[in-house]
Amino acid sequence: MSDTVVEIDHLVKRYKELIALDNFSLRIEKGEAFGLLGPNGSGKTTTINCLLSLLAYDNGEIKIFGERMTPNRLDIKKRIGVVSQNVAVFNELNVYENTDYFCGLYIKEKEKRKQYVEEALEFAGLLEFKKFYPKKLSGGLLRRLNIACGIAHKPELIIFDEPTVAVDPQSRNNILEGIAKLNESGATIIYTSHYMEEVEQLCSNILIMDRGKRIAEGTSDELKAMIKNTESVIVHIRNLEHELLDEFMKLPHVYDVKYMNDTLTIKCSGGKHNIVHVAEYLEKKQMNYDRIYSELPSLNDVFLEITGKELRDKE
Amino acid sequence: MFFHIFINRIKMNLRSKEMLIWSVVFSLALGTLFYVAFSSIYDSDKNTSIPVALVEGDLFSTIAEFDLSNEPELAGVELPKNTSFEEILGDLKYEDGTKMLAVKSVSVEKAKKLLKSEKVDGIIDVRDIRDIKLMVSESGIHQSILTSVVSVFRQYSALIVETILHNPSDVKEALSGLNEEISLVSEKSLSGDNKDPYVAYFYSLIAMMCMMASMAGLEVPTSCQANLSDVGARVNVSPMNKGTYEFAGLAAAVLTQTAITMIGLTYFIYGLQINFGGNTGYIYLTAALGTGLGVALGFFIGHIGTMTYKTKNSILTVVIVGGGFLSGLMFGQMKVLIEKNMPIINRINPSSVLTDAFYSLNMFGVSGRYYRSVLYTIILTVVFIVAGLLMSRRKSYASL
């Protein structure tokens, strides 16, 4: 039996003239934590909605657990959990009742459901907020409730669609740790985000998409290996004469130099000790600087190099 | 699964502040406002005893003192205790128990003085019982009532006198005829079950409460359609059978909204003491059916097209207000105009169907027309629900 949990083949989705998904394909294996990374409007949520048969698509095929997914495949839906981008709970039900309500759409047995709900609330750290109504919860707790409602029935495949949007850093860490635990316990995870750090931290396999197209796929290291940049040396230095930039280009492994807002960015491809070469040069030229440090490439660099634009808007 | 949804939907309906405010607080407040506003009108319309001067003569006294026991054929027949004309008139009562006439037995001269000084509205002169006279100084409702009363007495008093004098064995029937006629005069009812003109406003209010239930009906598809709400999307990706989900939601909406309508109606009937005539049971039944129709209407509109929740909510508001207008809730003649020119609208407009049911009850009692309105109510309810369910079959959306 195949271990492939999700197969999307040549998916095309159009909104009138706009092509939201353009021959998009992906494959997710059992137990994987799969990251779908792309800027806002790249087609991540459209992909998820097509996958769940919420959205009709124009072409292509979607299989989940080896079976063709359609709106009537209740047997497949039973095995999926969804944590949507927007908090989807009832304001008139408290934390416990909301979790129980949505769990009840999957689990008939009352006792089993009660146990599952308790476990989900414990997992989400909401046990002490059982009687709270959504309006009384903070943004972070509300997100956690959203997660509890999506995972209480212990699904095999869990889809997280940007679950940390507008969440404070502490809650974000809690959520990410929780998702990692779910993955460790055997659940296959699909995680969409435009926060590269989250995807990098969580996912074993990452697909970068833009304008409905697949840009690149692989592990974080594999993706970074695809690009020229291997290290960036950053120097905070004032009043640097632009004529000197060409001098930096002559240093070993350097292929790009930029100076902006008193910050000198020297991009290197390959080689070791690039920061030492830069520091020695600065000393030799008796140039005073405030700070010097080295950065390894991020997924944003990958995205930037492939598409020519930033992965996410400056916040 | 059905009961899981059903119970939780009931909880949600009862905890929804918006719904409770519009369905309960608003309706009860409006009813109370109507009551307060109409109270002054009711007071001015309240039945009052008509002051009247009675001029009695010897002849009547003679008849009143007839000793029927001397007539063997009249064994068992008794003249009423009020054998004096003053007492007979004094016993006449309105439907609400108020005495119709405040009779003062006086001399002719005194009676004329009282009439002139407007201390009485009329003089009834029964000195010659075969020619009872009525004198009034102006025209008005009191004078009209007096004319009716005297008219009946003229006929029956003459008949009784004739009967006692010439055919005493028929006096029993004659007396019973007199009592019945007086009773008809005091009820002054032409037809129907309720003469209160202001009760129609409360019927309109109940109809409005029924239509307000459509908001709860709209919530049912909203909670399970991915294009209407986030929770709708969550429900849509679950393995829940949509038909079961919607039936449970509908049942919960009908139950809670019917309970709310019943509370409102009970408050009107027993709290405000609004007189809805003698068909209380049927009014409750009609209100319950109307609430079902309201929920079904909201359910139906919630399933039409791919518009957003806000748009559908606005459409529903337009349908309720527009339907109310077409049914005559704001302009009484509108329904008649539509019945003349486009009667089909009156058959498919839920507000019209509902107000017609209440109108029929109010004017004609439990009649064929009432049953026809009830039938239309049931048909519309079924059509809305079936159409809604057909449109809600599990589907993918073109956009979300």
Side-chain angles (χ1 to χ4, degrees):
Chain A
M1 197 176 160
S2 169
D3 271 353
T4 304
V5 175
V6 176
E7 281 177 272
I8 297 177
D9 281 320
H10 301 99
L11 196 64
V12 177
K13 169 67 187 170
R14 290 190 189 91
Y15 293 111
K16 292 182 183 169
E17 299 303 311
L18 177 80
I19 300 178
L21 292 175
D22 189 0
N23 266 303
F24 183 80
S25 300
L26 66 77
R27 178 182 284 255
I28 301 168
E29 301 300 324
K30 190 177 178 185
E32 214 175 329
F34 187 89
L36 202 52
L37 186 66
N40 287 330
S42 60
K44 303 185 295 292
T45 301
T46 300
T47 305
I48 298 303
N49 285 338
C50 288
L51 181 68
L52 293 167
S53 276
L54 283 175
L55 268 182
Y57 46 89
D58 299 285
N59 216 341
E61 191 178 43
I62 295 174
K63 281 184 180 176
I64 302 180
F65 301 117
E67 304 276 343
R68 191 167 180 272
M69 182 62 174
T70 64
N72 294 313
R73 289 304 299 265
L74 304 186
D75 56 331
I76 297 177
K77 289 186 174 186
K78 202 169 187 173
R79 300 164 72 184
I80 303 173
V82 182
V83 177
S84 57
Q85 192 171 350
N86 300 324
V87 175
V89 295
F90 288 106
N91 284 330
E92 296 83 11
L93 297 180
N94 65 31
V95 166
Y96 184 92
E97 289 167 337
N98 258 304
T99 315
D100 179 63
Y101 184 80
F102 290 111
C103 187
L105 303 181
Y106 297 80
I107 309 288
K108 280 183 187 175
E109 303 87 345
K110 219 172 176 179
E111 279 308 307
K112 189 178 177 184
R113 197 167 74 227
K114 194 177 173 189
Q115 180 204 327
Y116 278 19
V117 170
E118 290 286 343
E119 285 174 12
L121 292 179
E122 191 180 356
F123 170 83
L126 289 169
L127 278 176
E128 56 186 303
F129 302 101
K130 269 185 189 179
K131 299 282 179 193
F132 280 54
Y133 284 88
K135 280 188 176 169
K136 298 281 177 193
L137 297 177
S138 67
L141 289 175
L142 208 52
R143 287 277 164 189
R144 287 199 238 165
L145 172 60
N146 199 34
I147 292 172
C149 291
I151 58 128
H153 59 285
K154 298 192 186 297
E156 296 167 53
L157 169 65
I158 311 174
I159 299 167
F160 291 90
D161 188 11
E162 309 220 27
T164 57
V165 172
V167 171
D168 60 278
Q170 196 185 343
S171 293
R172 182 180 292 190
N173 283 339
N174 288 336
I175 289 169
L176 293 176
E177 281 169 20
I179 295 171
K181 274 185 200 166
L182 286 170
N183 184 227
E184 281 163 23
S185 65
T188 304
I189 307 287
I190 301 179
Y191 190 91
T192 82
S193 179
H194 60 262
Y195 293 117
M196 54 195 174
E197 308 86 357
E198 292 181 1
V199 175
E200 213 168 343
Q201 179 187 335
L202 199 68
C203 301
S204 50
N205 197 20
I206 299 162
L207 188 150
I208 299 177
M209 67 186 299
D210 186 39
R211 293 181 181 180
K213 282 184 180 171
R214 176 194 175 96
I215 302 294
E217 187 185 344
T219 62
S220 176
D221 289 339
E222 284 169 350
L223 288 170
K224 286 170 190 170
M226 287 177 188
I227 59 171
K228 200 174 176 183
N229 178 247
T230 56
E231 185 182 4
S232 296
V233 178
I234 292 119
V235 187
H236 290 263
I237 184 167
R238 289 174 217 170
N239 305 320
L240 183 71
E241 290 173 15
H242 276 265
E243 292 75 38
L244 286 172
L245 295 184
D246 289 341
E247 297 298 316
F248 286 103
M249 282 294 285
K250 290 173 186 167
L251 291 173
H253 311 298
V254 174
Y255 72 93
D256 187 33
V257 179
K258 275 181 186 152
Y259 182 66
M260 203 184 287
N261 300 328
D262 295 339
T263 304
L264 177 68
T265 306
I266 302 163
K267 289 194 172 180
C268 307
S269 180
K272 289 178 181 175
H273 316 300
N274 292 313
I275 190 169
V276 177
H277 296 145
V278 175
E280 282 174 356
Y281 180 78
L282 290 168
E283 205 172 321
K284 187 179 160 189
K285 293 286 179 183
Q286 294 184 326
M287 294 165 77
N288 294 323
Y289 57 89
D290 298 327
R291 200 151 63 101
I292 183 167
Y293 58 93
S294 166
E295 264 184 1
L296 292 174
S298 67
L299 290 177
N300 189 46
D301 295 309
V302 177
F303 192 80
L304 183 65
E305 198 163 312
I306 296 174
T307 66
K309 60 185 182 184
E310 296 277 344
L311 187 57
R312 73 182 146 121
D313 302 329
K314 297 285 180 196
E315 289 174 359
Chain B
M1 208 72 102
F2 177 90
F3 284 102
H4 175 70
I5 310 296
F6 179 68
I7 299 292
N8 280 289
R9 293 298 313 175
I10 287 177
K11 274 187 202 171
M12 285 184 238
N13 288 341
L14 292 178
R15 289 175 187 171
S16 168
K17 282 179 190 163
E18 265 180 38
M19 211 177 281
L20 288 179
I21 286 171
W22 283 106
S23 300
V24 184
V25 181
F26 179 73
S27 302
L28 297 191
L30 200 59
T32 309
L33 195 71
F34 277 0
Y35 175 75
V36 173
F38 297 149
S39 285
S40 55
I41 302 173
Y42 275 123
D43 286 345
S44 66
D45 278 2
K46 216 171 182 178
N47 293 325
T48 50
S49 300
I50 305 165
V52 63
L54 178 69
V55 182
E56 291 191 78
D58 293 341
L59 185 55
F60 183 80
S61 304
T62 309
I63 295 166
E65 284 162 10
F66 251 66
D67 186 1
L68 297 176
S69 63
N70 292 334
E71 304 293 330
E73 291 158 300
L74 297 178
V77 174
E78 283 181 12
L79 279 173
K81 285 175 186 172
N82 49 347
T83 45
S84 121
F85 211 165
E86 184 181 352
E87 284 175 27
I88 292 173
L89 287 175
D91 270 0
L92 292 180
K93 284 173 184 164
Y94 292 110
E95 199 177 281
D96 63 3
T98 310
K99 280 196 171 187
M100 191 182 282
L101 305 175
V103 185
K104 280 182 185 172
S105 193
V106 291
S107 64
V108 183
E109 291 73 24
K110 176 78 176 166
K112 283 179 180 171
K113 274 185 188 171
L114 288 171
L115 186 63
K116 202 173 178 184
S117 60
E118 295 183 352
K119 286 184 178 165
V120 293
D121 288 335
I123 301 169
I124 299 175
D125 185 347
V126 293
R127 281 176 295 174
D128 179 356
I129 200 158
R130 290 184 182 86
D131 183 22
I132 297 175
K133 292 187 182 88
L134 172 69
M135 272 192 284
V136 291
S137 58
E138 54 187 66
S139 61
I141 185 75
H142 284 181
Q143 287 73 13
S144 298
I145 293 172
L146 286 176
T147 307
S148 297
V149 170
V150 168
S151 167
V152 172
F153 268 86
R154 270 183 192 140
Q155 296 166 30
Y156 280 85
S157 296
L159 181 67
I160 290 163
V161 171
E162 288 299 317
T163 306
I164 291 172
L165 292 177
H166 305 295
N167 202 6
S169 61
D170 293 338
V171 75
K172 189 175 180 180
E173 282 175 24
L175 284 169
S176 117
L178 173 63
N179 287 338
E180 278 174 18
E181 194 67 20
I182 291 167
S183 163
L184 279 176
V185 170
S186 68
E187 281 177 9
K188 61 181 167 78
S189 175
L190 295 172
S191 61
D193 285 57
N194 195 355
K195 65 184 171 61
D196 186 346
Y198 304 110
V199 80
Y201 287 95
F202 284 93
Y203 281 127
S204 301
L205 187 56
I206 299 164
M208 191 195 77
M209 285 172 76
C210 294
M211 288 297 106
M212 286 284 197
S214 58
M215 296 294 176
L218 179 63
E219 288 303 315
V220 179
T222 302
S223 71
C224 65
Q225 298 284 352
N227 59 337
L228 292 182
S229 68
D230 292 323
V231 284
R234 199 192 272 286
V235 170
N236 237 266
V237 298
S238 79
M240 183 77 207
N241 180 289
K242 217 168 185 179
T244 310
Y245 189 94
E246 295 207 298
F247 259 124
L250 263 179
V254 169
L255 187 74
T256 46
Q257 290 302 312
T258 303
I260 287 169
T261 308
M262 296 298 110
I263 289 169
L265 194 52
T266 304
Y267 173 67
F268 296 156
I269 294 174
Y270 299 102
L272 301 182
Q273 302 276 315
I274 304 300
N275 178 14
F276 285 108
N279 296 308
T280 310
Y282 283 96
I283 292 166
Y284 273 106
L285 175 70
T286 313
L289 289 172
T291 307
L293 176 59
V295 171
L297 173 70
F299 180 77
F300 174 69
I301 287 176
H303 281 106
I304 298 175
T306 54
M307 296 152 288
T308 62
Y309 172 75
K310 274 186 181 175
T311 309
K312 289 184 177 181
N313 207 341
S314 305
I315 290 173
L316 188 57
T317 307
V318 169
V319 169
I320 294 172
V321 177
F325 176 72
L326 294 177
S327 72
L329 289 181
M330 299 150 207
F331 168 54
Q333 289 304 304
M334 182 55 80
K335 200 157 158 253
V336 180
L337 280 173
I338 290 171
E339 191 64 41
K340 265 186 188 171
N341 300 304
M342 287 187 80
I344 185 70
I345 290 179
N346 280 346
R347 305 293 167 270
I348 59 169
N349 175 10
S351 297
S352 288
V353 170
L354 210 53
T355 48
D356 196 63
F358 284 124
Y359 175 79
S360 305
L361 266 184
N362 193 32
M363 297 305 290
F364 312 114
V366 184
S367 59
R369 181 169 170 176
Y370 169 72
Y371 285 122
R372 191 186 68 179
S373 299
V374 166
L375 184 66
Y376 282 140
T377 305
I378 294 169
I379 289 172
L380 274 182
T381 305
V382 171
V383 167
F384 284 151
I385 290 175
V386 171
L389 284 173
L390 287 175
M391 286 188 278
S392 81
R393 283 174 301 176
R394 204 169 270 281
K395 61 188 174 190
S396 295
Y397 300 88
S399 63
L400 289 174

